[in-house]
Amino acid sequence: MLRPASSLGSAVHADRRARLRAMVSGPILMMGNGSQPRNLPMNQHRFRQDSCFLYLTGCDEPGAALWMDGDRELLLLTPPADDDGLWHGHLTPNAERATAWGFDQVAELGALEGLVGDSRPRTIAVSDPAACARGAALAGRPLRFGRENGDDELFDALIRLRRRLGPAELEAARQTAAASEAAHRLVMAQTRPGRTEAALVGLFEGALRAQGRLTAYDTILTVRGEVLHNHSHPNTLQAGQLLLLDGGGEAPDGYAADLTRTYPVSGRFDPRQRAAYEAVLEAQTWAIAAARPGVRYRDLHLGACRILARFLVDEGLLRGNVDDLVAEGAHALFFPHGLGHLLGLDVHDLEVFGDRAAYAPGRARSPQFGTGYLRLDLDLEEDMLVTIEPGFYVVPAILQDEALRARFRHALDLGVAERWLGFGGIRVEDDVQVRPEGGASLTPHLPRTVAELEAIVGSGGPLPF
Ligand SMILES: [Mn+2]
């Protein structure tokens, strides 16, 4: 079966390659990922192409490589096996497949060593260990995915190209966000006491599949939202709980959505839930509106922290001056993560390059608990796509931590905090295009306010499971 060409079209990828080659001299080798066995050789993990390779070629076949030397751009592909027609339904020759990806010149992947010779090309690491090792041998340098990423100039150029999204990319992201919105709405409508997390995660991921999407990351759907990356779904929903759903689809050409909503299982926020929810929503609304070119992302984070700290003081959870509490990091006892991250082909876009892509030169991670988890500290540029995702969590592991208790003894009212244990967590997350007039959510109509959520939760009909 011939895979569908990327919806972006091969001219977009050809233009990206031309821009990259104008930025970086010398031969360039880009390895694609191979297939990875899961529990036996023929039963494989779902294939995901390397994002930089996908960015430059649109080719989502396993076992491919891109060779660029002088004026030459060559796509290397794995030829079909003799029995591929039987098992996989295709025997399409390499040349025909390469044409579909917009390449005039094609070779078999086995020819790679002969092509590269001792030219010592620039290359970067990929997640597939075998392809990564092959790239390392060809480039004559060590490569470890996410650690030793290879040629600095090459990946700095890729960072500069990928960090701002073009119109076609924004449209791809918008379509995936729309499909993810539909899946979120379905779960909202089916949320009620007695429903299981398993049924709801099945509905969510099924709704993405039904729209031609897979998940961009493991879905977080839980009544224990205070566990930040909770990927288990063992619980039955009970009245009085909050359900947190952090999930998004991935388009066939790779662009991700990353959306979170939190709402009451019963369909009605109780007064305490409502107060906390309104504070998180106010922080998010403020930060989205403030996401303009030239604004430092860390300042959005700290502004959101101040709004949340005001709520924490009003509730008696913290004592003191709001600015001082945020400066010393006390807000992180209840909002321990960063405000968000870049979004694009990767759900944490470009995070494989570490903070090099997401922190401006001269900026480094804060040593402070909480702010140290901030994934992004750039001055925003028009058409960057970022998430804005403040939260409020009552985390036993934080409130029972002796070192944190000691450090914030003057600020934290433990007696009040203990009455909040069992509350769970709230997060509200949108995907936001940076615009001069203020950030624009890709899903402005996904229910977000208390009234909108209370209207939709539980409104769906019966399910057969
Ligand atoms: Mn996110």
Side-chain angles (χ1 to χ4, degrees):
M1 180 181 64
L2 192 61
R3 289 163 184 268
S6 158
S7 68
L8 298 180
S10 56
V12 168
H13 301 103
D15 177 62
R16 290 168 173 175
R17 293 193 297 274
R19 286 159 65 201
L20 178 71
R21 292 165 71 203
M23 295 162 83
V24 180
S25 62
I28 297 171
L29 169 66
M30 300 293 299
M31 298 298 297
N33 281 329
S35 299
Q36 298 290 314
R38 186 166 166 262
N39 52 341
L40 56 157
M42 62 75 63
N43 191 20
Q44 296 173 337
H45 285 289
R46 174 182 130 193
F47 177 72
R48 176 53 155 81
Q49 186 57 280
D50 174 74
S51 291
C52 285
F53 189 83
L54 198 57
Y55 180 82
L56 292 172
T57 66
C59 168
D60 69 347
E61 286 192 28
L66 169 65
W67 173 243
M68 296 189 286
D69 184 19
D71 291 333
R72 193 159 57 147
E73 290 183 347
L74 195 70
L75 185 66
L76 296 104
L77 297 171
T78 302
D82 290 343
D83 59 357
D84 267 4
L86 171 61
W87 293 104
H88 305 296
H90 70 78
L91 281 166
T92 313
N94 277 359
E96 211 174 301
R97 281 157 41 235
T99 302
W101 303 120
F103 284 83
D104 304 328
Q105 298 186 66
V106 63
E108 292 191 4
L109 189 65
L112 188 56
E113 278 71 14
L115 274 168
V116 173
D118 55 6
S119 63
R120 308 267 298 188
R122 299 179 189 276
T123 195
I124 58 169
V126 293
S127 63
D128 167 22
C132 194
R134 194 169 179 180
L138 287 162
R141 64 181 305 152
L143 293 175
R144 282 194 303 162
F145 185 69
R147 291 167 186 266
E148 286 182 89
N149 279 308
D151 186 87
D152 288 353
E153 276 187 57
L154 177 56
F155 65 69
D156 279 349
L158 287 162
I159 287 168
R160 284 202 297 282
L161 287 170
R162 283 179 54 188
R163 210 157 49 186
R164 281 175 67 176
L165 273 62
E169 294 176 285
L170 284 164
E171 184 53 32
R174 201 169 278 118
Q175 287 177 17
T176 292
S180 306
E181 170 170 347
H184 271 271
R185 284 178 180 274
L186 180 64
V187 173
M188 288 170 181
Q190 288 298 337
T191 293
R192 55 172 57 109
R195 194 72 89 216
T196 62
E197 292 172 345
L200 292 178
V201 80
L203 283 180
F204 181 77
E205 297 187 353
L208 289 174
R209 283 243 167 182
Q211 300 172 90
R213 262 94 180 155
L214 297 168
T215 50
Y217 54 98
D218 282 350
T219 305
I220 300 169
L221 186 156
T222 179
V223 292
R224 296 200 53 208
E226 79 280 9
V227 182
L228 296 181
H229 285 175
N230 187 346
H231 297 299
S232 63
H233 311 108
N235 299 304
T236 299
L237 277 54
Q238 295 172 29
Q241 292 176 321
L242 293 167
L243 183 73
L244 184 152
L245 171 51
D246 181 344
E250 180 176 283
D253 44 24
Y255 291 89
D258 183 6
L259 298 166
T260 308
R261 289 292 185 270
T262 309
Y263 34 89
V265 167
S266 68
R268 285 281 174 272
F269 287 90
D270 71 28
R272 198 168 72 162
Q273 290 169 340
R274 183 180 177 127
Y277 188 86
E278 296 278 20
V280 175
L281 192 64
E282 183 188 344
Q284 199 219 18
T285 302
W286 173 83
I288 291 174
R292 297 187 184 87
V295 171
R296 183 174 179 178
Y297 191 84
R298 195 184 70 165
D299 291 338
L300 294 185
H301 171 77
L302 293 173
C305 291
R306 280 190 282 273
I307 292 170
L308 289 162
R310 162 61 52 205
F311 159 75
L312 296 171
V313 170
D314 288 349
E315 290 292 328
L317 287 160
L318 294 183
R319 297 181 285 259
N321 170 280
V322 164
D323 290 343
D324 295 344
L325 289 168
V326 171
E328 66 179 329
H331 64 278
L333 295 167
F334 299 95
F335 174 39
H337 61 74
L339 185 66
H341 48 84
L342 293 166
L343 183 69
L345 284 170
D346 302 321
V347 62
H348 293 171
D349 207 36
L350 298 162
E351 204 167 87
V352 64
F353 298 120
D355 288 341
R356 197 166 178 124
Y359 271 62
R363 295 178 188 166
R365 295 261 179 163
S366 164
Q368 195 177 72
F369 174 70
T371 304
Y373 292 122
L374 185 61
R375 298 180 189 276
L376 179 59
D377 189 10
L378 295 172
D379 294 340
L380 295 176
E381 296 173 38
E382 189 168 358
D383 293 340
M384 279 183 175
L385 189 59
V386 299
T387 69
I388 302 284
E389 48 179 311
F392 166 75
Y393 313 87
V394 181
V395 186
I398 290 177
L399 296 175
Q400 290 159 9
D401 183 287
E402 292 299 335
L404 288 172
R405 279 191 190 209
R407 190 188 316 162
F408 294 112
R409 191 173 341 173
H410 59 287
L412 173 65
D413 190 322
L414 261 179
V416 176
E418 272 162 16
R419 293 203 292 276
W420 282 73
L421 285 173
F423 178 87
I426 292 171
R427 179 164 62 257
V428 187
E429 176 178 28
D430 280 65
D431 303 337
V432 174
Q433 179 187 358
V434 177
R435 302 293 307 271
E437 65 271 27
S441 168
L442 299 190
T443 55
H445 304 297
L446 178 59
R448 202 172 66 99
T449 66
V450 165
E452 288 165 348
L453 290 167
E454 290 187 344
I456 189 172
V457 171
S459 63
L463 291 178
F465 48 81

